[in-house]
PDB file of all heavy atoms in Angstrom:
ATOM      1  N   SER S  24      -0.948  31.778   4.946  1.00  0.00           N
ATOM      2  CA  SER S  24      -0.575  30.919   3.822  1.00  0.00           C
ATOM      3  C   SER S  24      -1.065  29.475   4.004  1.00  0.00           C
ATOM      4  O   SER S  24      -0.905  28.657   3.108  1.00  0.00           O
ATOM      5  CB  SER S  24       0.938  30.935   3.626  1.00  0.00           C
ATOM      6  OG  SER S  24       1.589  30.463   4.788  1.00  0.00           O
ATOM      7  N   PHE S  25      -1.667  29.174   5.143  1.00  0.00           N
ATOM      8  CA  PHE S  25      -2.165  27.836   5.426  1.00  0.00           C
ATOM      9  C   PHE S  25      -3.677  27.787   5.255  1.00  0.00           C
ATOM     10  O   PHE S  25      -4.383  28.719   5.618  1.00  0.00           O
ATOM     11  CB  PHE S  25      -1.840  27.422   6.864  1.00  0.00           C
ATOM     12  CG  PHE S  25      -0.407  27.076   7.087  1.00  0.00           C
ATOM     13  CD1 PHE S  25       0.553  28.073   7.218  1.00  0.00           C
ATOM     14  CD2 PHE S  25      -0.007  25.764   7.176  1.00  0.00           C
ATOM     15  CE1 PHE S  25       1.875  27.763   7.427  1.00  0.00           C
ATOM     16  CE2 PHE S  25       1.321  25.438   7.379  1.00  0.00           C
ATOM     17  CZ  PHE S  25       2.266  26.440   7.501  1.00  0.00           C
ATOM     18  N   THR S  26      -4.152  26.691   4.726  1.00  0.00           N
ATOM     19  CA  THR S  26      -5.581  26.395   4.668  1.00  0.00           C
ATOM     20  C   THR S  26      -5.865  25.363   5.747  1.00  0.00           C
ATOM     21  O   THR S  26      -5.180  24.342   5.819  1.00  0.00           O
ATOM     22  CB  THR S  26      -5.964  25.800   3.299  1.00  0.00           C
ATOM     23  OG1 THR S  26      -5.649  26.742   2.289  1.00  0.00           O
ATOM     24  CG2 THR S  26      -7.432  25.454   3.248  1.00  0.00           C
ATOM     25  N   VAL S  27      -6.856  25.643   6.582  1.00  0.00           N
ATOM     26  CA  VAL S  27      -7.243  24.705   7.631  1.00  0.00           C
ATOM     27  C   VAL S  27      -8.528  24.021   7.195  1.00  0.00           C
ATOM     28  O   VAL S  27      -9.519  24.668   6.906  1.00  0.00           O
ATOM     29  CB  VAL S  27      -7.453  25.412   8.981  1.00  0.00           C
ATOM     30  CG1 VAL S  27      -7.903  24.416  10.039  1.00  0.00           C
ATOM     31  CG2 VAL S  27      -6.191  26.134   9.417  1.00  0.00           C
ATOM     32  N   LYS S  28      -8.491  22.702   7.156  1.00  0.00           N
ATOM     33  CA  LYS S  28      -9.665  21.909   6.774  1.00  0.00           C
ATOM     34  C   LYS S  28     -10.041  21.023   7.953  1.00  0.00           C
ATOM     35  O   LYS S  28      -9.220  20.255   8.435  1.00  0.00           O
ATOM     36  CB  LYS S  28      -9.337  21.057   5.545  1.00  0.00           C
ATOM     37  CG  LYS S  28     -10.322  19.977   5.194  1.00  0.00           C
ATOM     38  CD  LYS S  28     -11.589  20.540   4.619  1.00  0.00           C
ATOM     39  CE  LYS S  28     -12.480  19.385   4.141  1.00  0.00           C
ATOM     40  NZ  LYS S  28     -13.853  19.649   4.213  1.00  0.00           N
ATOM     41  N   THR S  29     -11.266  21.171   8.442  1.00  0.00           N
ATOM     42  CA  THR S  29     -11.759  20.235   9.434  1.00  0.00           C
ATOM     43  C   THR S  29     -12.577  19.180   8.702  1.00  0.00           C
ATOM     44  O   THR S  29     -13.127  19.434   7.640  1.00  0.00           O
ATOM     45  CB  THR S  29     -12.617  20.921  10.511  1.00  0.00           C
ATOM     46  OG1 THR S  29     -13.786  21.459   9.920  1.00  0.00           O
ATOM     47  CG2 THR S  29     -11.835  22.026  11.217  1.00  0.00           C
ATOM     48  N   LEU S  30     -12.649  18.015   9.275  1.00  0.00           N
ATOM     49  CA  LEU S  30     -13.396  16.940   8.642  1.00  0.00           C
ATOM     50  C   LEU S  30     -14.886  17.162   8.865  1.00  0.00           C
ATOM     51  O   LEU S  30     -15.323  17.380   9.991  1.00  0.00           O
ATOM     52  CB  LEU S  30     -12.974  15.587   9.200  1.00  0.00           C
ATOM     53  CG  LEU S  30     -11.497  15.221   9.000  1.00  0.00           C
ATOM     54  CD1 LEU S  30     -11.212  13.838   9.575  1.00  0.00           C
ATOM     55  CD2 LEU S  30     -11.102  15.285   7.538  1.00  0.00           C
ATOM     56  N   ASP S  31     -15.662  17.111   7.807  1.00  0.00           N
ATOM     57  CA  ASP S  31     -17.099  17.335   7.896  1.00  0.00           C
ATOM     58  C   ASP S  31     -17.795  16.285   8.753  1.00  0.00           C
ATOM     59  O   ASP S  31     -18.719  16.595   9.489  1.00  0.00           O
ATOM     60  CB  ASP S  31     -17.734  17.340   6.500  1.00  0.00           C
ATOM     61  CG  ASP S  31     -17.205  18.474   5.641  1.00  0.00           C
ATOM     62  OD1 ASP S  31     -16.887  19.540   6.205  1.00  0.00           O
ATOM     63  OD2 ASP S  31     -17.099  18.288   4.426  1.00  0.00           O
ATOM     64  N   GLU S  32     -17.351  15.044   8.630  1.00  0.00           N
ATOM     65  CA  GLU S  32     -17.976  13.953   9.358  1.00  0.00           C
ATOM     66  C   GLU S  32     -17.034  13.325  10.373  1.00  0.00           C
ATOM     67  O   GLU S  32     -17.448  12.479  11.149  1.00  0.00           O
ATOM     68  CB  GLU S  32     -18.457  12.882   8.382  1.00  0.00           C
ATOM     69  CG  GLU S  32     -19.493  13.396   7.399  1.00  0.00           C
ATOM     70  CD  GLU S  32     -19.832  12.371   6.333  1.00  0.00           C
ATOM     71  OE1 GLU S  32     -19.519  11.175   6.517  1.00  0.00           O
ATOM     72  OE2 GLU S  32     -20.415  12.777   5.320  1.00  0.00           O
ATOM     73  N   ALA S  33     -15.774  13.710  10.367  1.00  0.00           N
ATOM     74  CA  ALA S  33     -14.754  13.148  11.255  1.00  0.00           C
ATOM     75  C   ALA S  33     -14.759  11.623  11.212  1.00  0.00           C
ATOM     76  O   ALA S  33     -14.797  10.953  12.233  1.00  0.00           O
ATOM     77  CB  ALA S  33     -14.914  13.678  12.672  1.00  0.00           C
ATOM     78  N   THR S  34     -14.721  11.088   9.988  1.00  0.00           N
ATOM     79  CA  THR S  34     -14.662   9.636   9.805  1.00  0.00           C
ATOM     80  C   THR S  34     -13.297   9.241   9.249  1.00  0.00           C
ATOM     81  O   THR S  34     -12.593  10.045   8.631  1.00  0.00           O
ATOM     82  CB  THR S  34     -15.745   9.142   8.824  1.00  0.00           C
ATOM     83  OG1 THR S  34     -15.492   9.710   7.537  1.00  0.00           O
ATOM     84  CG2 THR S  34     -17.140   9.504   9.306  1.00  0.00           C
ATOM     85  N   TYR S  35     -12.953   8.002   9.475  1.00  0.00           N
ATOM     86  CA  TYR S  35     -11.702   7.464   8.957  1.00  0.00           C
ATOM     87  C   TYR S  35     -11.656   7.571   7.434  1.00  0.00           C
ATOM     88  O   TYR S  35     -10.629   7.940   6.863  1.00  0.00           O
ATOM     89  CB  TYR S  35     -11.572   6.008   9.420  1.00  0.00           C
ATOM     90  CG  TYR S  35     -10.313   5.328   8.976  1.00  0.00           C
ATOM     91  CD1 TYR S  35      -9.095   5.609   9.590  1.00  0.00           C
ATOM     92  CD2 TYR S  35     -10.329   4.386   7.963  1.00  0.00           C
ATOM     93  CE1 TYR S  35      -7.925   4.974   9.200  1.00  0.00           C
ATOM     94  CE2 TYR S  35      -9.169   3.745   7.562  1.00  0.00           C
ATOM     95  CZ  TYR S  35      -7.979   4.044   8.186  1.00  0.00           C
ATOM     96  OH  TYR S  35      -6.821   3.412   7.786  1.00  0.00           O
ATOM     97  N   GLU S  36     -12.777   7.285   6.765  1.00  0.00           N
ATOM     98  CA  GLU S  36     -12.829   7.345   5.311  1.00  0.00           C
ATOM     99  C   GLU S  36     -12.572   8.764   4.806  1.00  0.00           C
ATOM    100  O   GLU S  36     -11.860   8.957   3.823  1.00  0.00           O
ATOM    101  CB  GLU S  36     -14.190   6.841   4.807  1.00  0.00           C
ATOM    102  CG  GLU S  36     -14.420   5.367   5.012  1.00  0.00           C
ATOM    103  CD  GLU S  36     -14.743   4.979   6.457  1.00  0.00           C
ATOM    104  OE1 GLU S  36     -15.173   5.856   7.255  1.00  0.00           O
ATOM    105  OE2 GLU S  36     -14.535   3.809   6.801  1.00  0.00           O
ATOM    106  N   GLN S  37     -13.145   9.754   5.476  1.00  0.00           N
ATOM    107  CA  GLN S  37     -12.911  11.130   5.049  1.00  0.00           C
ATOM    108  C   GLN S  37     -11.465  11.535   5.298  1.00  0.00           C
ATOM    109  O   GLN S  37     -10.864  12.241   4.491  1.00  0.00           O
ATOM    110  CB  GLN S  37     -13.865  12.108   5.743  1.00  0.00           C
ATOM    111  CG  GLN S  37     -13.737  13.492   5.139  1.00  0.00           C
ATOM    112  CD  GLN S  37     -14.634  14.528   5.762  1.00  0.00           C
ATOM    113  OE1 GLN S  37     -15.080  14.400   6.887  1.00  0.00           O
ATOM    114  NE2 GLN S  37     -14.875  15.584   5.013  1.00  0.00           N
ATOM    115  N   LEU S  38     -10.891  11.075   6.398  1.00  0.00           N
ATOM    116  CA  LEU S  38      -9.480  11.360   6.668  1.00  0.00           C
ATOM    117  C   LEU S  38      -8.595  10.793   5.561  1.00  0.00           C
ATOM    118  O   LEU S  38      -7.708  11.481   5.062  1.00  0.00           O
ATOM    119  CB  LEU S  38      -9.072  10.787   8.022  1.00  0.00           C
ATOM    120  CG  LEU S  38      -7.595  10.923   8.390  1.00  0.00           C
ATOM    121  CD1 LEU S  38      -7.142  12.381   8.385  1.00  0.00           C
ATOM    122  CD2 LEU S  38      -7.326  10.269   9.725  1.00  0.00           C
ATOM    123  N   ILE S  39      -8.846   9.568   5.153  1.00  0.00           N
ATOM    124  CA  ILE S  39      -8.078   8.956   4.052  1.00  0.00           C
ATOM    125  C   ILE S  39      -8.188   9.812   2.793  1.00  0.00           C
ATOM    126  O   ILE S  39      -7.186  10.095   2.130  1.00  0.00           O
ATOM    127  CB  ILE S  39      -8.589   7.524   3.769  1.00  0.00           C
ATOM    128  CG1 ILE S  39      -8.257   6.585   4.913  1.00  0.00           C
ATOM    129  CG2 ILE S  39      -8.050   6.997   2.441  1.00  0.00           C
ATOM    130  CD1 ILE S  39      -6.884   5.992   4.902  1.00  0.00           C
ATOM    131  N   ASN S  40      -9.386  10.263   2.463  1.00  0.00           N
ATOM    132  CA  ASN S  40      -9.592  11.068   1.257  1.00  0.00           C
ATOM    133  C   ASN S  40      -8.889  12.418   1.346  1.00  0.00           C
ATOM    134  O   ASN S  40      -8.283  12.871   0.370  1.00  0.00           O
ATOM    135  CB  ASN S  40     -11.083  11.275   1.000  1.00  0.00           C
ATOM    136  CG  ASN S  40     -11.776  10.011   0.570  1.00  0.00           C
ATOM    137  OD1 ASN S  40     -11.164   9.108   0.013  1.00  0.00           O
ATOM    138  ND2 ASN S  40     -13.062   9.934   0.848  1.00  0.00           N
ATOM    139  N   GLU S  41      -8.980  13.081   2.475  1.00  0.00           N
ATOM    140  CA  GLU S  41      -8.385  14.413   2.635  1.00  0.00           C
ATOM    141  C   GLU S  41      -6.866  14.355   2.783  1.00  0.00           C
ATOM    142  O   GLU S  41      -6.177  15.340   2.539  1.00  0.00           O
ATOM    143  CB  GLU S  41      -8.990  15.122   3.846  1.00  0.00           C
ATOM    144  CG  GLU S  41     -10.448  15.476   3.693  1.00  0.00           C
ATOM    145  CD  GLU S  41     -10.706  16.586   2.682  1.00  0.00           C
ATOM    146  OE1 GLU S  41      -9.778  17.336   2.332  1.00  0.00           O
ATOM    147  OE2 GLU S  41     -11.852  16.691   2.234  1.00  0.00           O
ATOM    148  N   ALA S  42      -6.336  13.213   3.170  1.00  0.00           N
ATOM    149  CA  ALA S  42      -4.899  13.085   3.417  1.00  0.00           C
ATOM    150  C   ALA S  42      -4.060  13.281   2.170  1.00  0.00           C
ATOM    151  O   ALA S  42      -2.891  13.679   2.260  1.00  0.00           O
ATOM    152  CB  ALA S  42      -4.594  11.719   4.038  1.00  0.00           C
ATOM    153  N   ALA S  43      -4.624  13.040   1.017  1.00  0.00           N
ATOM    154  CA  ALA S  43      -3.856  13.044  -0.232  1.00  0.00           C
ATOM    155  C   ALA S  43      -3.106  14.347  -0.486  1.00  0.00           C
ATOM    156  O   ALA S  43      -1.995  14.322  -1.020  1.00  0.00           O
ATOM    157  CB  ALA S  43      -4.772  12.718  -1.401  1.00  0.00           C
ATOM    158  N   ASP S  44      -3.676  15.481  -0.107  1.00  0.00           N
ATOM    159  CA  ASP S  44      -2.987  16.749  -0.357  1.00  0.00           C
ATOM    160  C   ASP S  44      -2.699  17.520   0.928  1.00  0.00           C
ATOM    161  O   ASP S  44      -2.496  18.726   0.912  1.00  0.00           O
ATOM    162  CB  ASP S  44      -3.768  17.609  -1.352  1.00  0.00           C
ATOM    163  CG  ASP S  44      -5.140  18.018  -0.855  1.00  0.00           C
ATOM    164  OD1 ASP S  44      -5.606  17.465   0.158  1.00  0.00           O
ATOM    165  OD2 ASP S  44      -5.746  18.896  -1.481  1.00  0.00           O
ATOM    166  N   ALA S  45      -2.636  16.809   2.035  1.00  0.00           N
ATOM    167  CA  ALA S  45      -2.364  17.452   3.331  1.00  0.00           C
ATOM    168  C   ALA S  45      -0.862  17.580   3.570  1.00  0.00           C
ATOM    169  O   ALA S  45      -0.092  16.669   3.274  1.00  0.00           O
ATOM    170  CB  ALA S  45      -2.992  16.648   4.457  1.00  0.00           C
ATOM    171  N   ASP S  46      -0.474  18.724   4.108  1.00  0.00           N
ATOM    172  CA  ASP S  46       0.915  18.934   4.514  1.00  0.00           C
ATOM    173  C   ASP S  46       1.107  18.650   6.002  1.00  0.00           C
ATOM    174  O   ASP S  46       2.187  18.249   6.426  1.00  0.00           O
ATOM    175  CB  ASP S  46       1.328  20.383   4.222  1.00  0.00           C
ATOM    176  CG  ASP S  46       1.284  20.681   2.736  1.00  0.00           C
ATOM    177  OD1 ASP S  46       2.154  20.167   2.013  1.00  0.00           O
ATOM    178  OD2 ASP S  46       0.362  21.395   2.293  1.00  0.00           O
ATOM    179  N   TYR S  47       0.065  18.878   6.769  1.00  0.00           N
ATOM    180  CA  TYR S  47       0.115  18.704   8.221  1.00  0.00           C
ATOM    181  C   TYR S  47      -1.186  18.096   8.713  1.00  0.00           C
ATOM    182  O   TYR S  47      -2.255  18.381   8.175  1.00  0.00           O
ATOM    183  CB  TYR S  47       0.316  20.050   8.929  1.00  0.00           C
ATOM    184  CG  TYR S  47       1.573  20.752   8.517  1.00  0.00           C
ATOM    185  CD1 TYR S  47       1.542  21.701   7.501  1.00  0.00           C
ATOM    186  CD2 TYR S  47       2.783  20.471   9.127  1.00  0.00           C
ATOM    187  CE1 TYR S  47       2.700  22.345   7.095  1.00  0.00           C
ATOM    188  CE2 TYR S  47       3.943  21.112   8.726  1.00  0.00           C
ATOM    189  CZ  TYR S  47       3.895  22.049   7.714  1.00  0.00           C
ATOM    190  OH  TYR S  47       5.033  22.677   7.307  1.00  0.00           O
ATOM    191  N   PHE S  48      -1.081  17.293   9.777  1.00  0.00           N
ATOM    192  CA  PHE S  48      -2.259  16.792  10.489  1.00  0.00           C
ATOM    193  C   PHE S  48      -2.258  17.402  11.883  1.00  0.00           C
ATOM    194  O   PHE S  48      -1.231  17.401  12.567  1.00  0.00           O
ATOM    195  CB  PHE S  48      -2.220  15.278  10.675  1.00  0.00           C
ATOM    196  CG  PHE S  48      -2.483  14.455   9.455  1.00  0.00           C
ATOM    197  CD1 PHE S  48      -2.143  13.114   9.447  1.00  0.00           C
ATOM    198  CD2 PHE S  48      -3.080  14.973   8.327  1.00  0.00           C
ATOM    199  CE1 PHE S  48      -2.381  12.316   8.346  1.00  0.00           C
ATOM    200  CE2 PHE S  48      -3.322  14.187   7.210  1.00  0.00           C
ATOM    201  CZ  PHE S  48      -2.966  12.856   7.229  1.00  0.00           C
ATOM    202  N   LEU S  49      -3.380  17.892  12.290  1.00  0.00           N
ATOM    203  CA  LEU S  49      -3.621  18.299  13.672  1.00  0.00           C
ATOM    204  C   LEU S  49      -4.658  17.315  14.178  1.00  0.00           C
ATOM    205  O   LEU S  49      -5.834  17.398  13.811  1.00  0.00           O
ATOM    206  CB  LEU S  49      -4.124  19.742  13.728  1.00  0.00           C
ATOM    207  CG  LEU S  49      -4.436  20.322  15.092  1.00  0.00           C
ATOM    208  CD1 LEU S  49      -3.202  20.282  15.995  1.00  0.00           C
ATOM    209  CD2 LEU S  49      -4.934  21.754  14.945  1.00  0.00           C
ATOM    210  N   VAL S  50      -4.233  16.347  14.975  1.00  0.00           N
ATOM    211  CA  VAL S  50      -5.109  15.230  15.307  1.00  0.00           C
ATOM    212  C   VAL S  50      -5.696  15.366  16.703  1.00  0.00           C
ATOM    213  O   VAL S  50      -5.064  15.872  17.620  1.00  0.00           O
ATOM    214  CB  VAL S  50      -4.384  13.873  15.155  1.00  0.00           C
ATOM    215  CG1 VAL S  50      -3.900  13.672  13.737  1.00  0.00           C
ATOM    216  CG2 VAL S  50      -3.230  13.750  16.112  1.00  0.00           C
ATOM    217  N   SER S  51      -6.921  14.890  16.815  1.00  0.00           N
ATOM    218  CA  SER S  51      -7.631  14.951  18.090  1.00  0.00           C
ATOM    219  C   SER S  51      -7.495  13.661  18.885  1.00  0.00           C
ATOM    220  O   SER S  51      -7.858  13.614  20.044  1.00  0.00           O
ATOM    221  CB  SER S  51      -9.117  15.238  17.831  1.00  0.00           C
ATOM    222  OG  SER S  51      -9.690  14.163  17.109  1.00  0.00           O
TER     223      SER S  51
END
Side-chain angles (χ1 to χ4, degrees):
S24 60
F25 286 78
T26 300
V27 178
K28 168 73 174 150
T29 64
L30 299 181
D31 297 328
E32 299 173 17
T34 63
Y35 181 76
E36 291 76 20
Q37 188 180 23
L38 176 58
I39 291 277
N40 290 334
E41 293 290 342
D44 63 348
D46 297 289
Y47 301 94
F48 286 164
L49 180 59
V50 300
S51 64

